[in-house]
Amino acid sequence: MADTGAPGGETLLFLTDEQLRKGIEAMFFAYRGFTADPDRILDQHDYGRAHHRAIHFINREPGLTVTTLISVLGVTKQSLNRVLRTLIDDGLVESRVGRRDKRERHLYLTEKGAVLERELSEAQRVRMRAAYRAAGPQAVAGFRQVLEAMMDPAMRRHYQMLKDGA
Amino acid sequence: MADTGAPGGETLLFLTDEQLRKGIEAMFFAYRGFTADPDRILDQHDYGRAHHRAIHFINREPGLTVTTLISVLGVTKQSLNRVLRTLIDDGLVESRVGRRDKRERHLYLTEKGAVLERELSEAQRVRMRAAYRAAGPQAVAGFRQVLEAMMDPAMRRHYQMLKDGA
DNA sequence: TTGGAAAGTCAACAAGGCTGACATAAAGTC
DNA sequence: GACTTTATGTCAGCCTTGTTGACTTTCCAA
C-alpha cells in the first residue's frame, strides 16, 4: 500500500497502513525480547511472568494494597492470589495488616524478595540499556511518547502515578 | 536514584536506572493497550490471541510454510497446530501442499479469514494511528528504533524480512 | 535406498487467565 | 446496635495456550 494521497504526503507518511503495520510487528517482536531475559531467570526459580509482575510493582510501591495491585496488573483477585500466595509462602513477600484500615493488606518485599527483584530487573535493564544506547536519547523520548499514547487511560493513570517517583 | 555522575550527565540522563524503569513500565502498560482492542473482537469470535498472531502473519506473507510460521511465532508445532487446526476447520485458513516440496504446507487466508484479519488489524491500527498522531513523526521514528534494538537477533531478522514488503 | 526434514497427531501436563460462590473481618451508615 | 459495604481470602471448575514426548506419514536428496 502506497501513500494515501492525503495532503502533506511526506509528513503523513508515518500514518500509512504500511507504517502502522510495521509498528504493530515491532511491538510484537520487541515484547518478546523484553520478557526473554527475566523469563529465563524465573524458570530457574520455578516462577512465572505473573510472579515477576507482582514483584516488580511491590518493589516499586512498597506497602501498596492488594486492591491497588489488582488494579495495576489488571487481573482478578483469584488470579493474583494464587501468585501472591506462593510468594508469601516462599518468604519473598510480606503481607501486613493495615494500621488505619485493618481490612487492607499492605505488601512488601522481604530481603529475599528484593534479591530476586534486583536479579530480574537488572537483567531487564541490561537489554533496555543496550537498546537505549543504540537508539540514542531522542529516540528514547519518542519511544516513551508513543507507548504512553498507546495506553488505555486507566493504565496511563497508573503509569503517570508511578512515573514521577513514589 | 540520581544521576550516576558519569561524564556528560545531561546526555546520559536517559540511561539512569530510573529512566530504564520507566521504559520497562511503559512497555508493560502499552502492550496491554496494544492487545486490548483485538482481544475484544477475538472474544466475540471465540478465538484467542494465538489465532490473531497466526492470522496476522499468514496475511502478511501469504503462502508461508508451517515451519516458517512456527519460527516467527516462536512456539512449538503442537501449539501452533492446535490453533491452525481450528482456523482451517472454520474455513479461515487454507493449507496447500507445496508444489516443489510436497511435504511443505503453504498457508493462505480464505476470503472469510481475510475479513476477520481486516477487522482485527483495523482495530489495532486505529489505536496505533492515534498514538502515532499524538506523538508525531519524530517520536515514531524513535519508537521504532528502540523497539528494533530491543529484539533478539533471530526475531530482528524476521522483522527485517517482513519490514520492506513481502 | 536410506537418512532426515516437514508436517500432523495423540496424550499429558502446567501456568495463568477467568467466573461463581462463599466466608470473614472491619468499616461505615442509619 | 443492626445492617450494608468493602477488602481479602479461598474453593472449585473451566479455558487458552504454552510445554514435552512419542509416533506416523510423506517425500526430498544424497
Side-chain angles (χ1 to χ4, degrees):
Chain A
M1 228 155 287
D3 186 22
T4 56
E10 278 281 297
T11 49
L12 287 177
L13 195 63
F14 73 115
L15 282 172
T16 62
D17 282 5
E18 186 52 26
Q19 291 289 321
L20 294 167
R21 179 161 62 172
K22 286 182 194 170
I24 288 167
E25 286 170 357
M27 276 297 281
F28 171 70
F29 288 123
Y31 199 78
R32 295 261 295 279
F34 174 68
T35 54
D37 305 319
D39 279 356
R40 270 188 290 273
I41 294 167
L42 289 159
D43 261 1
Q44 296 167 8
H45 294 258
D46 272 302
Y47 291 127
R49 229 176 258 182
H51 300 88
H52 183 189
R53 293 196 281 258
I55 288 171
H56 174 94
F57 288 108
I58 295 171
N59 174 69
R60 186 74 159 98
E61 197 82 19
L64 91 176
T65 64
V66 172
T67 306
T68 304
L69 187 51
I70 283 169
S71 164
V72 169
L73 296 177
V75 297
T76 59
K77 68 171 174 174
Q78 293 92 328
S79 201
L80 175 60
N81 199 254
R82 182 165 35 197
V83 164
L84 217 44
R85 189 75 268 136
T86 72
L87 291 175
I88 292 170
D89 289 351
D90 294 354
L92 303 192
V93 168
E94 194 190 344
S95 168
R96 295 187 206 152
V97 173
R99 261 207 297 259
R100 282 185 321 218
D101 188 333
K102 291 180 188 168
R103 290 170 306 179
E104 293 178 343
R105 298 301 140 91
H106 298 270
L107 304 170
Y108 300 87
L109 291 187
T110 63
E111 190 41 52
K112 191 176 167 192
V115 167
L116 179 56
E117 193 285 328
R118 280 191 290 271
E119 194 184 349
L120 290 168
S121 66
E122 184 47 30
Q124 207 155 33
R125 274 198 299 273
V126 164
R127 185 183 290 251
M128 209 50 140
R129 201 176 287 125
Y132 272 25
R133 205 186 299 272
Q138 267 223 313
V140 168
F143 163 73
R144 289 259 302 277
Q145 278 169 46
V146 174
L147 289 186
E148 199 167 328
M150 208 180 301
M151 297 173 195
D152 271 343
M155 287 306 110
R156 191 176 307 120
R157 254 174 276 132
H158 284 303
Y159 174 73
Q160 303 278 12
M161 217 170 311
L162 294 165
K163 193 174 168 184
D164 306 314
Chain B
M1 228 155 286
D3 186 18
T4 56
E10 278 280 296
T11 50
L12 286 178
L13 195 62
F14 73 115
L15 283 172
T16 62
D17 281 5
E18 185 54 24
Q19 291 290 320
L20 295 168
R21 179 162 61 171
K22 286 183 197 171
I24 288 167
E25 287 170 357
M27 276 297 281
F28 172 69
F29 288 122
Y31 199 77
R32 294 261 296 279
F34 174 68
T35 55
D37 306 317
D39 279 356
R40 270 187 290 273
I41 295 167
L42 290 159
D43 261 2
Q44 297 167 8
H45 294 259
D46 272 303
Y47 291 127
R49 229 175 258 183
H51 300 89
H52 184 189
R53 293 197 280 258
I55 287 172
H56 175 93
F57 287 108
I58 294 171
N59 173 70
R60 187 73 160 101
E61 197 83 18
L64 90 176
T65 64
V66 172
T67 304
T68 305
L69 188 52
I70 283 169
S71 165
V72 169
L73 296 176
V75 297
T76 59
K77 67 172 172 171
Q78 293 91 329
S79 199
L80 174 60
N81 199 255
R82 182 166 32 198
V83 163
L84 219 42
R85 189 76 264 136
T86 73
L87 291 175
I88 292 169
D89 288 350
D90 294 353
L92 303 192
V93 169
E94 195 191 343
S95 169
R96 296 188 206 152
V97 172
R99 259 206 298 259
R100 283 182 323 218
D101 188 334
K102 292 182 187 166
R103 290 170 306 179
E104 293 179 343
R105 299 302 140 92
H106 298 270
L107 304 170
Y108 299 87
L109 291 187
T110 63
E111 192 40 53
K112 191 176 167 192
V115 167
L116 179 57
E117 194 285 328
R118 280 191 290 272
E119 193 184 351
L120 290 168
S121 66
E122 184 48 30
Q124 207 155 32
R125 274 197 300 272
V126 165
R127 185 183 291 252
M128 210 51 140
R129 201 176 288 126
Y132 272 25
R133 205 187 299 271
Q138 267 223 313
V140 168
F143 163 74
R144 290 259 301 276
Q145 277 170 46
V146 175
L147 289 187
E148 200 168 328
M150 208 181 300
M151 296 174 196
D152 271 343
M155 288 304 111
R156 191 175 307 120
R157 253 174 276 131
H158 284 303
Y159 173 73
Q160 304 277 14
M161 219 169 311
L162 294 165
K163 194 174 167 185
D164 305 313

CSV table of all heavy atoms in Angstrom, one decimal, chain A residues 103, chain C residues 24-28, chain D residues 4-6:
chain,number,residue,atom,x,y,z
A,103,ARG,N,-8.7,-3.9,57.3
A,103,ARG,CA,-9.1,-4.9,56.3
A,103,ARG,C,-8.0,-5.0,55.2
A,103,ARG,O,-7.9,-6.0,54.6
A,103,ARG,CB,-10.4,-4.4,55.6
A,103,ARG,CG,-11.6,-4.5,56.5
A,103,ARG,CD,-12.8,-3.8,55.8
A,103,ARG,NE,-12.5,-2.4,55.5
A,103,ARG,CZ,-13.3,-1.6,54.9
A,103,ARG,NH1,-14.5,-2.0,54.5
A,103,ARG,NH2,-12.9,-0.4,54.6
C,24,DT,P,-17.0,-18.0,58.4
C,24,DT,OP1,-16.5,-19.0,59.4
C,24,DT,OP2,-18.4,-17.5,58.4
C,24,DT,O5',-16.1,-16.7,58.5
C,24,DT,C5',-14.7,-16.8,58.2
C,24,DT,C4',-14.0,-15.5,58.3
C,24,DT,O4',-14.4,-14.7,57.1
C,24,DT,C3',-14.5,-14.6,59.5
C,24,DT,O3',-13.4,-14.2,60.2
C,24,DT,C2',-15.2,-13.4,58.8
C,24,DT,C1',-14.6,-13.4,57.4
C,24,DT,N1,-15.4,-12.8,56.3
C,24,DT,C2,-14.8,-11.9,55.5
C,24,DT,O2,-13.7,-11.5,55.6
C,24,DT,N3,-15.6,-11.4,54.5
C,24,DT,C4,-16.9,-11.7,54.3
C,24,DT,O4,-17.6,-11.2,53.4
C,24,DT,C5,-17.5,-12.7,55.2
C,24,DT,C7,-18.9,-13.2,55.0
C,24,DT,C6,-16.7,-13.2,56.2
C,25,DA,P,-13.6,-13.6,61.7
C,25,DA,OP1,-12.8,-14.4,62.6
C,25,DA,OP2,-15.0,-13.4,61.9
C,25,DA,O5',-13.0,-12.2,61.5
C,25,DA,C5',-11.8,-12.0,60.7
C,25,DA,C4',-11.7,-10.6,60.3
C,25,DA,O4',-12.6,-10.3,59.2
C,25,DA,C3',-12.0,-9.6,61.4
C,25,DA,O3',-11.0,-8.7,61.5
C,25,DA,C2',-13.4,-9.0,60.9
C,25,DA,C1',-13.3,-9.1,59.4
C,25,DA,N9,-14.6,-9.3,58.7
C,25,DA,C8,-15.6,-10.1,59.1
C,25,DA,N7,-16.6,-10.0,58.2
C,25,DA,C5,-16.2,-9.1,57.3
C,25,DA,C6,-16.8,-8.6,56.1
C,25,DA,N6,-18.1,-9.0,55.7
C,25,DA,N1,-16.2,-7.7,55.4
C,25,DA,C2,-14.9,-7.4,55.8
C,25,DA,N3,-14.2,-7.8,56.9
C,25,DA,C4,-15.0,-8.6,57.6
C,26,DA,P,-10.9,-7.6,62.7
C,26,DA,OP1,-9.5,-7.5,63.1
C,26,DA,OP2,-12.0,-7.9,63.7
C,26,DA,O5',-11.3,-6.3,61.9
C,26,DA,C5',-10.6,-6.0,60.7
C,26,DA,C4',-11.3,-4.9,60.0
C,26,DA,O4',-12.5,-5.4,59.4
C,26,DA,C3',-11.7,-3.7,60.9
C,26,DA,O3',-11.3,-2.5,60.3
C,26,DA,C2',-13.3,-3.8,60.9
C,26,DA,C1',-13.6,-4.4,59.6
C,26,DA,N9,-14.8,-5.2,59.5
C,26,DA,C8,-15.3,-6.1,60.4
C,26,DA,N7,-16.5,-6.6,60.0
C,26,DA,C5,-16.8,-5.9,58.8
C,26,DA,C6,-17.9,-6.0,57.9
C,26,DA,N6,-18.9,-6.8,58.1
C,26,DA,N1,-17.8,-5.2,56.8
C,26,DA,C2,-16.7,-4.4,56.7
C,26,DA,N3,-15.7,-4.3,57.4
C,26,DA,C4,-15.7,-5.0,58.5
C,27,DA,P,-11.0,-1.2,61.1
C,27,DA,OP1,-9.6,-0.7,60.8
C,27,DA,OP2,-11.4,-1.4,62.5
C,27,DA,O5',-12.0,-0.2,60.4
C,27,DA,C5',-13.0,-0.8,59.7
C,27,DA,C4',-13.3,0.0,58.5
C,27,DA,O4',-14.4,-0.6,57.8
C,27,DA,C3',-13.8,1.4,58.8
C,27,DA,O3',-13.8,2.3,57.7
C,27,DA,C2',-15.3,1.1,59.2
C,27,DA,C1',-15.6,0.0,58.3
C,27,DA,N9,-16.4,-1.1,58.9
C,27,DA,C8,-16.2,-1.8,60.1
C,27,DA,N7,-17.1,-2.6,60.4
C,27,DA,C5,-18.0,-2.5,59.4
C,27,DA,C6,-19.3,-3.2,59.2
C,27,DA,N6,-19.8,-4.1,60.0
C,27,DA,N1,-19.9,-2.8,58.0
C,27,DA,C2,-19.4,-1.9,57.2
C,27,DA,N3,-18.3,-1.2,57.4
C,27,DA,C4,-17.6,-1.6,58.5
C,28,DG,P,-14.1,3.8,57.9
C,28,DG,OP1,-13.3,4.6,56.9
C,28,DG,OP2,-14.1,4.2,59.4
C,28,DG,O5',-15.7,3.9,57.5
C,28,DG,C5',-16.0,3.3,56.2
C,28,DG,C4',-17.5,3.4,56.0
C,28,DG,O4',-18.2,2.3,56.7
C,28,DG,C3',-18.2,4.7,56.5
C,28,DG,O3',-19.2,5.1,55.6
C,28,DG,C2',-18.8,4.2,57.9
C,28,DG,C1',-19.2,2.8,57.5
C,28,DG,N9,-19.4,1.9,58.6
C,28,DG,C8,-18.6,1.7,59.7
C,28,DG,N7,-19.0,0.8,60.5
C,28,DG,C5,-20.2,0.3,59.9
C,28,DG,C6,-21.1,-0.7,60.4
C,28,DG,O6,-21.1,-1.4,61.4
C,28,DG,N1,-22.2,-0.8,59.5
C,28,DG,C2,-22.3,-0.1,58.3
C,28,DG,N2,-23.4,-0.3,57.6
C,28,DG,N3,-21.5,0.9,57.9
C,28,DG,C4,-20.4,1.0,58.8
D,4,DT,P,-29.2,-5.0,55.1
D,4,DT,OP1,-30.3,-4.8,54.2
D,4,DT,OP2,-28.7,-6.3,55.5
D,4,DT,O5',-27.9,-4.1,54.6
D,4,DT,C5',-28.0,-2.7,54.7
D,4,DT,C4',-26.8,-2.1,54.1
D,4,DT,O4',-25.7,-2.1,55.0
D,4,DT,C3',-26.3,-2.8,52.8
D,4,DT,O3',-25.8,-1.9,51.9
D,4,DT,C2',-25.1,-3.7,53.3
D,4,DT,C1',-24.6,-2.8,54.5
D,4,DT,N1,-23.9,-3.5,55.6
D,4,DT,C2,-22.7,-3.0,56.1
D,4,DT,O2,-22.2,-2.0,55.7
D,4,DT,N3,-22.2,-3.8,57.2
D,4,DT,C4,-22.7,-4.9,57.7
D,4,DT,O4,-22.2,-5.4,58.7
D,4,DT,C5,-24.0,-5.4,57.1
D,4,DT,C7,-24.6,-6.6,57.7
D,4,DT,C6,-24.5,-4.7,56.1
D,5,DT,P,-25.4,-2.3,50.4
D,5,DT,OP1,-26.0,-1.3,49.4
D,5,DT,OP2,-25.6,-3.7,50.2
D,5,DT,O5',-23.8,-2.0,50.5
D,5,DT,C5',-23.4,-0.7,51.0
D,5,DT,C4',-21.9,-0.8,51.2
D,5,DT,O4',-21.6,-1.6,52.4
D,5,DT,C3',-21.1,-1.4,50.1
D,5,DT,O3',-20.1,-0.5,49.7
D,5,DT,C2',-20.6,-2.7,50.6
D,5,DT,C1',-20.4,-2.4,52.1
D,5,DT,N1,-20.5,-3.6,53.1
D,5,DT,C2,-19.5,-3.6,54.0
D,5,DT,O2,-18.7,-2.8,54.2
D,5,DT,N3,-19.6,-4.7,54.9
D,5,DT,C4,-20.6,-5.7,54.9
D,5,DT,O4,-20.6,-6.6,55.7
D,5,DT,C5,-21.6,-5.6,53.8
D,5,DT,C7,-22.6,-6.6,53.6
D,5,DT,C6,-21.5,-4.5,52.9
D,6,DT,P,-19.1,-0.7,48.5
D,6,DT,OP1,-18.8,0.6,47.9
D,6,DT,OP2,-19.6,-1.8,47.7
D,6,DT,O5',-17.8,-1.1,49.3
D,6,DT,C5',-17.3,-0.3,50.3
D,6,DT,C4',-16.0,-0.9,50.8
D,6,DT,O4',-16.4,-2.1,51.7
D,6,DT,C3',-15.1,-1.5,49.7
D,6,DT,O3',-13.8,-1.1,50.0
D,6,DT,C2',-15.3,-3.0,49.9
D,6,DT,C1',-15.6,-3.2,51.4
D,6,DT,N1,-16.3,-4.4,51.8
D,6,DT,C2,-15.9,-5.0,52.9
D,6,DT,O2,-14.9,-4.7,53.6
D,6,DT,N3,-16.7,-6.1,53.3
D,6,DT,C4,-17.8,-6.6,52.7
D,6,DT,O4,-18.4,-7.5,53.1
D,6,DT,C5,-18.2,-5.8,51.5
D,6,DT,C7,-19.4,-6.3,50.7
D,6,DT,C6,-17.4,-4.8,51.1
